[in-house]
Amino acid sequence: MRFAYLLCKDAWRADVFEAYRRLWACDAWNEVSAGEFYSHNWSMCLSRRQKICDVICQCFLHASIDLVPFLLFLYGINEKETTQVFLCRICLCIGIVHILVFYFLWLCTDVALKLHHFVGAWAMARGHSPARHRTYSYHPTAPGVPYSECRSLYALCAALVHGFLKVLPVAMAIATLIFGLLVSPNCYAVAAGMALSSIMLTLQILGPVDTITMGNMRLLDPWFPIPEELQQWAEQWCDLGFSEQKQKQQPFLLMLGFSALAFGFFGFPGLTMVCILLLVCVLLELLVLRAAGRLSWLWCFLESAVETLILIYIMLSTASDALADCTVMILLLVMRQFGFQRQFHGGERLRHASVNIFGVVHVFFVVLVCFAMQTYGEDTEWSAFGSPLNSTAFTAIHQVPEHSTWLKDAYPVCGIQFRHQHNGTQRYFHLADLALMASLTYEPRSRVSEACAHFFQSSWHVETIDSKFLKQNEVKFLLFTSADNRTTVIAVRGTLDFLDVLQDVSLWLVPALLQIFNYVGLDVSFGPWGMAMAGLSQLIPMANIDRETTFKSVLLATEFMMKEHPERRFYLTGHSLGGGVAKLVQLLLDTESVKPQTVTFSAPGVHYAAHVLLEDRFINLHEKFERQMGLLMTIRPGRDLISLIDHGSGATLRVPCRGNAYQCHSIYRTLWSILDICGAPKHLPHLFVPCSWSPDAC
């Protein structure tokens, strides 16, 4: 991400792509050594080889960034959207290649400089080369502007911000301890808060030191008479000094502390103790680094080797594709130079922001997984009716007179009807029937039949699902069949517990990120560019998960029912996650019979989610969307946010809703809104719903 920003910045300079070209021409040694681009000018005398490299780089840049996209644009003007998506992917791949080349050129230059200076430091440390006359001194503050020139408001604000950032980790650690003391029901969260706060306070008390002048270890004097040379190299080129390592470890320590707090709060003592143990290990590592003095470089090399072997062992013993994961891990270690990458000032703010954002996201997922693990198997008897049906407070839904045509004109949802066979005659059922069925998916299985009989009397019944379609880790669904077995509605359950939230994240994370990025840049989530980026997201290492298995049972059950009962008319419905899954299943159905119509409530779109999940199965997804446009319908309540995720396909009808965004996302509030404005369906003259569904709580 940082080098993508640097490459964009480099493209807008007067000397276009100056830093990129200098890396190609091997003329960026001074910039890489200083840790900042554009700190030096081009060399006065470039060799013939360097000039040829610069010419080749410029030709490659202009051909790939200017000429090729322009020709692809001309070619794709009148082409189908499938071709346009493919052309957009080519352009995105060109940009990714340039970013990777830019990064690896800088990486190779940095490693070459490190090795060059390491050879010299090794020779001087061994006494094979005369040592440089250097006075090793530590400056706790960098030399800057004289004090008389710093009396400005800007300097005061900068000093305040610097002081705030300096004490922020300690303040966050103390806040963690206070939270554990006040909120936690057990001692593990308190222990996590105490460990984090004590470690951060200890590191804050241990101020900056001059590592080179510390330490009296003489074990390696016969081999390294002047170890200060290697330590000076380590601090200058690898940031292996105590102060630099302490600063680098602070985000990791905070992330570990918050994770330990979350594990302790939810009652996972084993995971809490592991996080506390890691906190103590990091503290011991920094203390040993401080005490090692002139031999800190040797300690860091040994530590890096041990950690690498442990990571490889964990990958080989736990990963499903151990070879691929180990390869990716080693590649990441090489890119970070096994933890010895020194600070590079270009794009440093973006790097800090990215690290903090990823840390917050990590803690969020830790909390989410803890919620899922703690609530797994609980509340299995939860019901929207509350107490048993015979003691629940109900309110009657009255029917609207048939001649009220103005109601259908004002609210199109009131005029939507669906055909089905009933005793050999054509009958119709209402949108409210599908909403009722979608709401019944949240009921415990022992109560679904009773609730179905309460709403529909004998017109619909719950059909038994074969046990082979009931997988533990997949979404739940129900089959509602009409009395004469001529119509079947497949209703998919939405988000009920935190395991369902994890499924939501895995299925719709990429479309949501595309839409979030629209607020900070151009709107690229719509059209070929968005679909191209969604498809390329599968190329991210260790993120290409077969998320289709999460709803495979619904697909298999639908295909089985359509094959076994070709005379029936089928419908798919669902709320929230269930509605999104129903849309994906409708896209995946590959049958010669008439495909079922899909009606969803408060469901996210699947335009880009399908390109992430189903790209390997269908090349012509756009054509499938066009063919099935008339079979998809989404009911979107007012103020609902989930249905705004991803780009919707098919018809979208709005329903007014009273309440906030969370309340309007509820299927019960949506159902109440439909019944409130449209009345009870004609075939359900005696419809009673729980009073708790009403915003007025009758």
Side-chain angles (χ1 to χ4, degrees):
M1 184 181 295
R2 179 165 60 162
F3 276 83
Y5 160 75
L6 292 175
L7 189 62
C8 293
K9 180 181 176 181
D10 200 31
W12 287 96
R13 289 183 58 82
D15 188 5
V16 181
F17 292 112
E18 176 187 350
Y20 192 19
R21 288 162 48 209
R22 292 186 68 178
L23 286 171
W24 269 93
C26 299
D27 189 46
W29 304 104
N30 292 327
E31 282 82 353
V32 177
S33 178
E36 183 66 65
F37 287 132
Y38 320 119
S39 58
H40 295 74
N41 295 323
W42 284 86
S43 300
M44 296 300 295
C45 298
L46 293 177
S47 65
R48 179 180 176 84
R49 180 184 59 82
Q50 289 177 314
K51 293 179 180 179
I52 293 175
C53 288
D54 185 32
V55 172
I56 294 175
C57 178
Q58 292 190 56
C59 294
F60 175 60
L61 281 169
H62 290 295
S64 59
I65 296 180
D66 297 332
L67 182 60
V68 172
F70 179 71
L71 294 177
L72 293 178
F73 170 75
L74 294 179
Y75 175 75
I77 290 179
N78 297 321
E79 294 294 327
K80 297 181 179 180
E81 189 167 2
T82 306
T83 306
Q84 293 178 354
V85 172
F86 176 73
L87 298 180
C88 290
R89 287 187 179 180
I90 294 178
C91 295
L92 288 174
C93 290
I94 291 174
I96 293 172
V97 168
H98 279 295
I99 294 170
L100 293 177
V101 170
F102 186 31
Y103 173 76
F104 280 104
L105 285 174
W106 172 84
L107 177 65
C108 294
T109 306
D110 189 43
V111 171
L113 280 172
K114 286 181 180 179
L115 293 177
H116 172 73
H117 288 277
F118 177 76
V119 171
W122 181 276
M124 285 185 286
R126 295 291 303 274
H128 297 163
S129 178
R132 293 166 288 185
H133 295 284
R134 180 190 296 113
T135 301
Y136 300 107
S137 60
Y138 182 81
H139 302 278
T141 57
V145 186
Y147 178 76
S148 59
E149 299 180 11
C150 294
R151 298 175 181 176
S152 64
L153 181 61
Y154 175 80
L156 177 62
C157 294
L160 291 175
V161 172
H162 179 74
F164 171 74
L165 294 177
K166 188 175 182 179
V167 301
L168 180 62
V170 179
M172 296 176 70
I174 296 176
T176 303
L177 174 59
I178 296 174
F179 180 84
L181 289 171
L182 297 179
V183 182
S184 175
N186 52 55
C187 63
Y188 298 108
V190 178
M194 291 181 61
L196 179 61
S197 57
S198 59
I199 288 174
M200 297 305 295
L201 284 172
T202 302
L203 293 178
Q204 191 69 20
I205 294 173
L206 296 176
V209 297
D210 187 359
T211 311
I212 297 177
T213 60
M214 289 184 60
N216 296 316
M217 298 178 63
R218 299 294 180 182
L219 298 177
L220 300 181
D221 279 1
W223 296 276
F224 300 101
I226 314 176
E228 294 87 355
E229 294 293 337
L230 283 171
Q231 183 60 31
Q232 177 72 13
W233 169 85
E235 293 191 13
Q236 180 181 356
W237 291 97
C238 300
D239 282 348
L240 295 184
F242 171 76
S243 302
E244 293 82 1
Q245 288 297 308
K246 184 179 72 171
Q247 183 180 3
K248 287 185 176 181
Q249 295 287 6
Q250 280 185 355
F252 179 65
L253 288 171
L254 290 174
M255 185 183 66
L256 272 179
F258 292 147
S259 301
L261 176 68
F263 291 139
F265 178 78
F266 289 104
F268 298 106
L271 295 174
T272 306
M273 298 310 297
V274 168
C275 290
I276 294 177
L277 181 62
L278 288 175
L279 284 170
V280 175
C281 289
V282 174
L283 176 62
L284 292 177
E285 171 198 358
L286 292 174
L287 293 178
V288 171
L289 187 66
R290 180 187 175 94
R294 294 171 293 179
L295 296 180
S296 299
W297 62 274
L298 181 60
W299 165 256
C300 290
F301 275 106
L302 294 176
E303 177 198 354
S304 176
V306 172
E307 290 178 353
T308 302
L309 293 176
I310 292 175
L311 284 175
I312 292 177
Y313 172 77
I314 293 175
M315 286 288 186
L316 291 175
S317 58
T318 60
S320 57
D321 192 354
L323 181 60
D325 288 350
C326 284
T327 304
V328 173
M329 187 204 67
I330 293 175
L331 177 62
L332 294 175
L333 287 175
V334 170
M335 292 169 64
R336 295 295 300 172
Q337 301 171 47
F338 293 89
F340 302 148
Q341 186 171 354
R342 63 195 177 103
Q343 185 178 11
F344 181 66
H345 302 292
E348 189 66 13
R349 293 179 181 177
L350 179 62
R351 188 189 70 84
H352 278 299
S354 302
V355 169
N356 293 330
I357 291 173
F358 289 143
V360 171
V361 172
H362 168 83
V363 174
F364 168 75
F365 275 103
V366 167
V367 173
L368 190 62
V369 171
C370 288
F371 265 117
M373 294 173 64
Q374 189 182 51
T375 59
Y376 181 74
E378 296 182 1
D379 294 332
T380 54
E381 296 302 318
W382 178 89
S383 172
F385 294 94
S387 54
L389 286 178
N390 54 12
S391 60
T392 303
F394 290 94
T395 180
I397 304 297
H398 301 286
Q399 292 184 331
V400 176
E402 295 185 10
H403 60 272
S404 301
T405 57
W406 64 270
L407 191 62
K408 297 181 181 179
D409 297 334
Y411 300 103
V413 293
C414 297
I416 297 177
Q417 294 180 332
F418 306 94
R419 292 185 301 171
H420 78 103
Q421 295 284 343
H422 182 71
N423 296 328
T425 60
Q426 282 284 2
R427 299 285 295 273
Y428 294 89
F429 62 96
H430 194 261
L431 189 66
D433 294 86
L434 293 177
L436 286 170
M437 295 176 188
S439 69
L440 290 179
T441 58
Y442 293 97
E443 297 295 318
R445 292 192 178 274
S446 59
R447 203 169 186 179
V448 171
S449 298
E450 182 184 6
C452 180
H454 168 78
F455 286 134
F456 301 107
Q457 287 82 43
S458 59
S459 57
W460 295 87
H461 66 274
V462 181
E463 190 165 348
T464 304
I465 304 175
D466 196 326
S467 59
K468 65 181 179 181
F469 300 123
L470 300 177
K471 300 297 181 60
Q472 189 69 21
N473 60 336
E474 298 184 3
V475 294
K476 307 300 186 293
F477 62 98
L478 295 173
L479 302 178
F480 296 94
T481 303
S482 59
D484 58 356
N485 295 328
R486 301 291 295 178
T487 305
T488 296
V489 177
I490 303 171
V492 188
R493 195 188 75 182
T495 304
L496 181 61
D497 51 32
F498 285 93
L499 284 177
D500 295 332
V501 175
L502 291 176
Q503 288 186 346
D504 290 343
V505 173
S506 66
L507 293 174
W508 275 276
L509 178 62
V510 173
L513 288 177
L514 287 175
Q515 289 185 311
I516 292 174
F517 289 151
N518 293 338
Y519 294 103
V520 296
L522 299 176
D523 186 359
V524 295
S525 66
F526 185 79
W529 286 104
M531 290 185 283
M533 286 186 285
L536 286 177
S537 66
Q538 286 191 318
L539 300 179
I540 300 175
M542 293 189 293
N544 188 14
I545 305 172
D546 187 12
R547 286 155 286 191
E548 183 188 330
T549 58
T550 57
F551 53 88
K552 193 173 183 179
S553 58
V554 185
L555 174 64
L556 294 177
T558 305
E559 291 177 338
F560 174 79
M561 293 295 294
M562 295 181 68
K563 183 178 179 181
E564 290 293 318
H565 306 282
E567 74 284 356
R568 292 187 185 181
R569 184 184 295 272
F570 288 89
Y571 293 89
L572 283 167
T573 190
H575 167 256
S576 188
L577 167 68
V581 169
K583 293 179 182 180
L584 291 172
V585 169
Q586 204 266 353
L587 283 173
L588 281 168
L589 286 175
D590 191 13
T591 60
E592 297 180 356
S593 58
V594 179
K595 290 192 175 182
Q597 186 167 357
T598 302
V599 181
T600 62
F601 303 87
S602 305
V606 295
H607 200 73
Y608 301 112
H611 283 81
V612 177
L613 299 168
L614 313 178
E615 187 68 24
D616 55 341
R617 300 206 34 178
F618 304 107
I619 301 177
N620 55 343
L621 271 174
H622 180 68
E623 285 78 0
K624 288 183 70 66
F625 277 118
E626 287 185 343
R627 289 197 302 266
Q628 301 177 13
M629 190 72 71
L631 299 176
L632 296 175
M633 180 184 299
T634 302
I635 307 302
R636 178 181 297 172
R639 300 179 183 177
D640 178 48
L641 299 179
I642 302 300
S643 55
L644 298 177
I645 298 176
D646 206 339
H647 175 59
S649 300
T652 300
L653 298 179
R654 298 183 180 274
V655 176
C657 177
R658 287 189 293 161
N660 55 37
Y662 176 77
Q663 293 170 336
C664 288
H665 182 64
S666 169
I667 181 62
Y668 309 108
R669 186 62 58 88
T670 303
L671 183 55
W672 176 267
S673 300
I674 295 174
L675 295 175
D676 187 40
I677 62 178
C678 302
K682 183 175 62 175
H683 56 279
L684 298 177
H686 306 290
L687 180 60
F688 294 86
V689 299
C691 287
S692 58
W693 294 9
S694 168
D696 302 323
C698 61

